Amino acid sequence: NGTDAKVTKPVRYDDIAFFVSVLDIPVIGNGDITRQVSLDKMLATVVAGVMIARAGVRQPWLIAQLQATHANQVFIKPSPQVIADIFF
């Protein structure tokens, strides 16, 4: 099924940046945004926004974590019990 598919191709940041530069519509970046470094790479393409997919399903706290890190704030990952409560 599609949820178990592994992505083997790397994100093509140069292509995303190209489309941002030539299109007159907002471009939303998507692909392997799993931590701050990958978010920074995507934001460097000057996209209008980002979309988080599989990583957000596996880590429902990921958006809050990225927002905190981006704002130089401390983020405390949920405890194992809270994570278990989310998934079970």
Side-chain angles (χ1 to χ4, degrees):
N1 82 38
T3 59
D4 294 331
K6 293 205 180 226
V7 177
T8 57
K9 295 182 181 181
V11 177
R12 295 164 53 177
Y13 296 105
D14 291 340
D15 290 344
I16 295 169
F18 168 77
F19 285 107
V20 168
S21 71
V22 299
L23 295 175
D24 290 329
I25 59 171
V27 175
I28 305 299
N30 181 10
D32 290 340
I33 300 172
T34 58
R35 53 199 163 114
Q36 188 63 44
V37 68
S38 54
L39 175 61
D40 291 342
K41 286 180 183 179
M42 187 62 73
L43 292 175
T45 67
V46 195
V47 290
V50 298
M51 181 173 24
I52 296 175
R54 280 185 293 261
V57 173
R58 288 189 294 267
Q59 302 174 67
W61 57 88
L62 180 61
I63 293 172
Q65 180 179 352
L66 291 171
Q67 287 175 325
T69 304
H70 191 70
N72 292 318
Q73 297 174 343
V74 175
F75 176 80
I76 299 172
K77 183 178 174 181
S79 69
Q81 181 60 51
V82 170
I83 293 171
D85 292 343
I86 291 170
F87 287 106
F88 304 104

